């Protein structure tokens, strides 16, 4: 059977092939067999989080001297694709931890903050969350209302955040809040490190989601949350620029997650079409099914190339704002299409929870929404193509 991941092997350096094989083996043995159950219960066991930490998958870009694996975005892309091939929820947990929380610390934190928070995050001793979205500000993220006011040597934070990935058990939350209400939207925002046990930080119940259910999503309320002055992460009033830098890179992980889900749906479809017989022959012998499989494979490979292009740009120190948005847009919409085709190939059985394709399809839809919806990616792309103001 064709394994889609191998079509790009000629592009992968030797160490990436080893990383891919390690991630693939772990995902197939430890995640795949449990994915349906975690989708039902909405929880990934803590021992699996620990194992992910031991493999270096929770500190992918964190430098080795701070306990991480020190691998770049190409490696991140390879790992996330392998995890998502088995379970979108696990891939999202790892993706948000690395691509949002750790990434923000890498971009904005000072040396002391990095030394304090990155090693336990990278080792998997605690998970990280990143709190941007609010009830009134999603796509229009710079309209956030959470407020942070300096009182002597402490910041006092008040506000409500929603859709916080890993929020139910994170040890640290990167919270974005308005520090200058007079400044125009994006200009008066700063980011703060809030530890879990801080008084006034309330974690709401888990959302009952359509997909990526193994990954927890919660609302977080901050009521007179006091953090020391030194918990400001990055420059005062300039947090939103760090947010944009984080999202530019985070979109590489969501693109990779999309490719992994689509690959899972494709591989399941090849398997099923080869085994299932109708009209006296396997489905795979019917040209209509062959054409579907051919289109699925082509789109997956195209998406992977686009996503890895942005990863390679980041790893060579270049901006990938345009390419990350293109990769995320194309890969996420491709994943939805491919997963729907996979269900069609499985017929009525694809509609049952017994088959992984219905879960993969539910997981895929998230990729068109999280970290900037498809519509927002089109705006980001068009603005750059036409050189329009942001
Ligand atoms: C499972 C999950 C996990 C998440 N994890 C996190 C997290 O860890 N941290 C975090 O901060 N957030 C997280 N989010 C939030 C996510 O980033 C937002 O849901 C997303 O940015 C969209 O915001 P919204 O839901 O408020 O939709 P809205 O902004 O209300 O958008 C609704 C619709 O309108 C469209 N739209 C909005 N503005 C425009 C425009 N200008 N032009 C055209 N169309 C437009 C959107 O594309 C969308 O289709 C998560 C969301 C989910 C579902």
């Amino acid at each position: 059977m064709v394994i889609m991941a191998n079509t790009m092997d000629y592009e992968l350096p030797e160490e990436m092939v080893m990383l891919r094989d390690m991630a693939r083996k772990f995902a197939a043995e430890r995640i795949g067999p449990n994915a349906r159950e975690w989708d039902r219960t909405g929880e990934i066991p803590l021992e699996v989080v620990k194992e992910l930490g031991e493999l270096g998958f929770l500190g992918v870009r964190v430098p080795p001297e701070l306990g991480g694996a020190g691998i770049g975005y190409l490696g991140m892309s390879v790992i996330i694709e392998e995890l998502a091939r088995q379970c979108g929820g696990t891939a999202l947990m790892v993706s948000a931890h690395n691509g949002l929380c750790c990434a923000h610390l890498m971009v904005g934190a000072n040396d002391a903050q990095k030394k304090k928070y990155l090693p336990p995050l990278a080792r998997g001793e605690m998970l990280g969350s990143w709190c941007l979205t609010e009830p009134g500000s999603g796509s229009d993220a710079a309209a956030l209302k959470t407020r942070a006011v300096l009182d002597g040597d402490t910041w006092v934070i008040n506000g409500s955040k929603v859709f916080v990935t890993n929020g139910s058990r994170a040890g640290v939350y990167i919270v974005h809040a308005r520090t200058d209400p007079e400044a125009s939207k994006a200009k008066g925002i700063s980011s703060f490190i809030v530890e879990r046990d801080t008084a006034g930080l309330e974690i709401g119940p888990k959302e009952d989601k359509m997909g990526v259910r193994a990954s927890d999503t919660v609302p977080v309320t901050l009521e007179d949350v006091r953090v020391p002055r030194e918990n400001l992460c990055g420059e005062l009033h300039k947090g939103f620029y760090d947010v944009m830098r984080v999202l530019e890179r985070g979109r590489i992980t969501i693109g990779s997650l999309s490719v992994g889900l689509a690959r899972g749906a494709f591989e399941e479809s090849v398997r099923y079409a080869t085994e299932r017989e109708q009209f006296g022959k396997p489905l795979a012998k019917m040209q209509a099914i062959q054409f579907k499989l051919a289109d699925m494979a082509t789109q997956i490979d195209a998406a992977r190339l686009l996503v890895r292009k942005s990863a390679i740009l980041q790893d060579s120190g270049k901006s990938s704002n345009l390419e990350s948005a293109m990769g995320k847009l194309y890969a996420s919409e491709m994943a939805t299409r491919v997963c729907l085709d996979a269900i069609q190939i499985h017929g009525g059985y694809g509609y049952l929870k017994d088959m992984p394709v219905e879960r993969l399809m539910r997981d895929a839809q998230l990729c068109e929404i999280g970290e900037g919806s498809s519509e927002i990616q089109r705006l980001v792309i068009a603005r750059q193509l036409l050189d329009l103001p942001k």
Side-chain angles (χ1 to χ4, degrees), residues 254-369:
I254 301 295
S256 310
L257 207 158
S258 309
V259 172
L261 293 171
R263 199 184 105 214
F266 170 80
E267 289 175 0
E268 294 297 332
S269 300
V270 170
R271 193 191 329 272
Y272 190 79
T274 314
E275 287 166 7
R276 169 81 170 166
E277 293 195 358
Q278 286 293 281
F279 298 98
K281 59 182 176 185
L283 295 176
K285 293 259 178 194
M286 295 165 189
Q287 199 177 50
I289 301 290
Q290 291 171 1
F291 279 14
K292 255 197 204 322
L293 291 170
D295 286 345
M296 290 158 86
T298 306
Q299 294 176 69
I300 294 167
D301 214 30
R304 183 188 289 117
L305 282 165
L306 205 46
V307 170
R308 288 195 184 167
K309 179 182 174 189
S310 50
I312 289 166
L313 280 171
Q314 278 295 334
D315 288 344
S316 52
K318 298 190 181 113
S319 161
S320 69
N321 205 14
L322 177 67
E323 292 79 4
S324 294
M326 284 177 166
K328 196 245 179 208
L329 171 66
Y330 183 77
S332 60
E333 295 193 345
M334 174 283 298
T336 308
R337 281 194 304 273
V338 163
C339 288
L340 285 171
D341 277 346
I343 291 176
Q344 196 66 14
I345 289 172
H346 282 72
Y349 298 96
Y351 205 68
L352 304 182
K353 285 190 184 288
D354 296 350
M355 294 285 177
V357 287
E358 74 78 40
R359 172 172 47 79
L360 294 167
M361 188 275 284
R362 288 187 282 108
D363 290 354
Q365 183 64 35
L366 178 268
C367 300
E368 290 193 49
I369 297 170

Side-chain angles (χ1 to χ4, degrees), residues 67-225:
I71 305 169
Y73 275 98
L74 184 58
M76 178 95 84
S77 177
V78 166
I79 294 167
I80 299 291
E81 179 183 325
E82 293 303 329
L83 299 180
R85 189 270 169 255
Q86 299 294 344
C87 172
T90 307
L92 184 65
M93 175 185 79
V94 173
S95 185
H97 173 93
N98 278 294
L100 296 177
C101 180
C102 293
H104 202 106
L105 290 167
M106 301 266 291
V107 160
N110 58 35
D111 284 349
Q113 291 167 334
K114 284 182 185 164
K115 270 189 198 144
K116 181 169 180 191
Y117 295 104
L118 283 173
L121 284 165
R123 288 194 295 261
E125 288 160 17
M126 64 181 184
L127 283 171
S129 284
W130 191 78
C131 314
L132 179 66
T133 308
E134 299 185 358
S137 58
S139 301
D140 188 10
L144 62 81
K145 288 205 163 73
T146 294
R147 189 79 170 87
V149 178
L150 191 60
D151 176 22
D153 264 350
T154 54
W155 285 100
V156 185
I157 311 175
N158 279 284
S160 297
K161 298 290 181 179
V162 288
F163 292 118
V164 178
T165 300
N166 298 337
S168 74
R169 55 188 183 186
V172 65
Y173 301 77
I174 308 295
V175 175
H176 311 288
R178 192 160 298 287
T179 40
D180 182 359
E182 307 303 323
S184 69
K185 276 166 61 179
K187 292 195 173 144
I189 292 171
S190 306
S191 305
F192 298 89
I193 302 170
V194 180
E195 294 180 14
R196 185 186 181 85
D197 293 332
T198 313
L201 184 78
E202 272 203 30
I203 314 299
K206 285 185 195 172
E207 301 291 358
D208 190 5
K209 302 195 298 292
M210 165 185 169
V212 286
R213 290 174 56 81
S215 148
D216 65 280
T217 314
V218 297
V220 170
T221 311
L222 301 105
E223 210 181 316
D224 288 332
V225 166

